[in-house]
Amino acid sequence: MSKIGYNIKKLRNVKNLSQQAFAELFSLTRGNISSYEEQRAEPKLESVIKIANYFSIPLEHLLTKQLSVNEILNFNDYFKEESQKKLQKNFTNIPFISREAIHHIKEGTFDMQRLELITFPMYSSNKFIALEFTHEIAAPASMNMPEYTILFFEQVQIDTLHTLNNQYGMFLTSNEIFIGTYNQNQSTINLKLNEWKSEDFNTENLQSFWKLYAKFEKKI
């Protein structure tokens, strides 16, 4: 039996699509998607091809492999397989905040320990987190990030506070998330979204502050 049912469910979860929303993308019904995920039926080949093309996933992988978050985000296409094997020891498993996880934050049910992991080359012992950017996240207009861009944030460290001024950062708790700009004024630092929203930095809430480290933007 193919892996298509498992992979459709995985795609939906990572992209935060309901069965109905996923079905409408490919001229199917919600019942169709339910039957595929429960392995009571399999889609016609023409539908599988449409799904593979839409998400830029090799057809063979969609049918025969249990897709990882990396593959769904197309990271595995970005790095050549041979190079990936050589560099594997330098790759880091990074917690990934998907669109589904963003909804958990807004509902107050977010748990960082339960996040899925993605693998990416990060040559640092510091703590990182990845985020799929969406306009559901409050962010400065100056960022001008396209949807589906993957942002990598590094947790703020006491010894690097002097590097924060005018840099983009993220404030993250179990029930709140926003992206802003760090402002440093003598001995105070805050992360500012706009004139009405900002968070002051202190050692007690250190773990909630992150600095933008890198971005991965898929070229279509």
Side-chain angles (χ1 to χ4, degrees), residues 19-20 23-24 27-34 36:
Q19 288 184 336
Q20 183 64 41
E24 290 174 357
S27 301
L28 299 167
T29 67
R30 190 203 64 78
N32 289 146
I33 304 305
S34 176
Y36 302 155

Side-chain angles (χ1 to χ4, degrees), residues 18-158:
S18 66
Q19 288 184 336
Q20 183 64 41
F22 192 96
E24 290 174 357
L25 287 174
F26 306 107
S27 301
L28 299 167
T29 67
R30 190 203 64 78
N32 289 146
I33 304 305
S34 176
S35 65
Y36 302 155
E37 293 184 358
E38 294 172 9
Q39 299 185 9
R40 292 184 283 108
E42 292 199 350
K44 295 180 180 178
L45 182 58
E46 62 185 83
S47 295
V48 178
I49 293 173
K50 287 180 182 179
I51 295 169
N53 289 339
Y54 185 88
F55 292 106
S56 301
I57 294 170
L59 182 61
E60 180 183 1
H61 291 190
L62 188 61
L63 288 169
T64 64
K65 294 179 63 178
Q66 290 191 355
L67 295 177
S68 66
V69 178
N70 269 30
E71 288 171 299
I72 291 173
L73 297 176
N74 304 121
F75 285 174
N76 285 16
D77 290 338
Y78 184 73
F79 302 105
K80 298 293 184 182
E81 186 174 351
E82 291 184 4
S83 299
Q84 190 177 30
K85 290 179 180 178
K86 292 178 182 178
L87 291 171
Q88 194 69 43
K89 63 180 180 180
N90 294 321
F91 277 38
T92 302
N93 289 324
I94 302 171
F96 174 61
I97 302 176
S98 66
R99 292 173 179 234
E100 181 182 22
I102 292 167
H103 287 179
H104 288 310
I105 294 172
K106 293 183 176 181
E107 294 168 357
T109 57
F110 176 71
D111 182 359
M112 190 180 299
Q113 302 302 318
R114 300 182 64 181
L115 290 176
E116 294 195 69
L117 302 177
I118 58 175
T119 307
F120 209 80
M122 291 292 190
Y123 310 106
S124 171
S125 59
N126 293 339
K127 190 174 182 179
F128 290 94
I129 197 166
L131 168 73
E132 182 177 7
F133 184 75
T134 166
H135 293 300
E136 295 180 64
I137 299 173
S142 58
M143 285 193 71
N144 195 29
M145 291 284 181
E147 291 271 332
Y148 302 113
T149 298
I150 308 300
L151 303 179
F152 293 89
F153 291 88
E154 181 181 16
Q155 194 163 52
V156 169
Q157 304 294 316
I158 293 293

